[in-house]
Amino acid sequence: MINKVAQSLADALVGTPDGATVLIGGFGTAGVPDELIAGLMEQGAKDLTVVNNNAGNGDRGLAALLKTGRVRKIVCSFPRQADSHVFDALYRSGKLELELVPQGNLAERIRAAGAGIGAFFSPTGYGTALALGKETREINGRMHVLEHPIHGDLALVKAEIGDRWGNLIYRKAARNFGPVMATAATRTVATVHHIAALGELNPEHIVTPGIYVSKIVRIPRVATQAGGFAQPQKARHA
């Protein structure tokens, strides 16, 4: 019987090796799998390469992971913002390597990995420092830069609903990079707020098929005093 529901974050992340490339979903603060990031910190893997839209906010989530010193390199499109002080300090001190990738290229490089595409040409970045050392070619009168896929050893994804086969449905903007990252990684772990019975999910609503998902962990949704929702750091047994 296929059952991809893990009983804890630790169970879902066991075996993550040192030196892994980890794809982490999220766009700004939307759809960031904070619980899985916390689980990865507890798991202890080091010398990581992290791929994300940005380089963390404040002192939580991805920023907290960076602060542990276990990330060697970050690949992102938007590293600096008002509260990116953790990234700034590490980068300026030479303790963190940065690969800056335009956002469209970042999404397409991840998608290409999942689609089995060896490389592709993009006009974005031509004539800038981002194209240095890369092959260029004129296509239809416009110069393009050769870009290569970004493959992950592990993808961490925040979803809304899943089933024991690993099929996932997302909530609004929390969807962002999750679906393409799930296809581009050897292992994908997702958090969900609800585990549906088999057959309960409408196939037309499933965004990430379970074939791309290794483990899911159910986490509770906790109401805040302001009437919104906050995500706790500990997973609850499914």
Side-chain angles (χ1 to χ4, degrees), residues 189-200:
V189 178
T191 57
V192 298
H193 293 306
H194 173 67
I195 297 178
L198 290 183
E200 182 180 339

Side-chain angles (χ1 to χ4, degrees), residues 145-202:
V145 181
L146 184 66
E147 299 286 356
H148 290 85
I150 298 175
H151 296 270
D153 298 297
L154 173 67
L156 304 181
V157 173
K158 177 183 174 66
E160 181 71 12
I161 303 172
D163 61 25
R164 66 176 176 84
W165 283 356
N167 297 308
L168 301 178
I169 293 175
Y170 300 82
R171 183 178 185 274
K172 300 181 179 181
R175 175 171 170 172
N176 52 66
F177 280 86
V180 291
M181 286 183 169
T183 69
T186 303
R187 293 179 59 236
T188 294
V189 178
T191 57
V192 298
H193 293 306
H194 173 67
I195 297 178
L198 290 183
E200 182 180 339
L201 300 183
N202 184 333

Side-chain angles (χ1 to χ4, degrees), residues 95-146:
K95 297 178 180 178
L96 181 65
E97 181 182 348
L98 168 67
E99 181 180 345
L100 187 64
V101 183
Q103 187 163 272
N105 283 358
L106 181 67
E108 184 63 9
R109 287 177 65 186
I110 296 169
R111 191 198 70 83
I117 296 172
F120 63 92
F121 281 98
S122 170
T124 305
Y126 177 77
T128 73
L130 299 179
L132 293 178
K134 297 180 180 180
E135 180 183 341
T136 59
R137 181 178 299 183
E138 183 177 344
I139 301 175
N140 293 329
R142 189 178 185 186
M143 297 303 299
H144 290 64
V145 181
L146 184 66

Side-chain angles (χ1 to χ4, degrees), residues 25-113:
F27 185 93
T29 58
V32 178
D34 286 330
E35 294 82 7
L36 289 172
I37 295 172
L40 184 62
M41 288 190 286
E42 291 185 11
Q43 188 269 342
K46 58 183 183 297
D47 195 33
L48 302 174
T49 295
V50 168
V51 182
N52 187 258
N53 170 255
N54 64 20
N57 300 90
D59 293 290
R60 62 173 294 179
L62 178 54
L65 176 61
L66 296 180
K67 201 170 184 177
T68 65
R70 297 208 295 264
V71 178
R72 177 184 62 83
K73 176 181 179 180
I74 186 163
V75 181
C76 69
S77 61
F78 193 68
R80 298 196 65 207
Q81 50 204 335
D83 59 352
S84 60
H85 51 269
V86 174
F87 164 80
D88 284 354
L90 291 171
Y91 180 72
R92 291 177 185 276
S93 64
K95 297 178 180 178
L96 181 65
E97 181 182 348
L98 168 67
E99 181 180 345
L100 187 64
V101 183
Q103 187 163 272
N105 283 358
L106 181 67
E108 184 63 9
R109 287 177 65 186
I110 296 169
R111 191 198 70 83

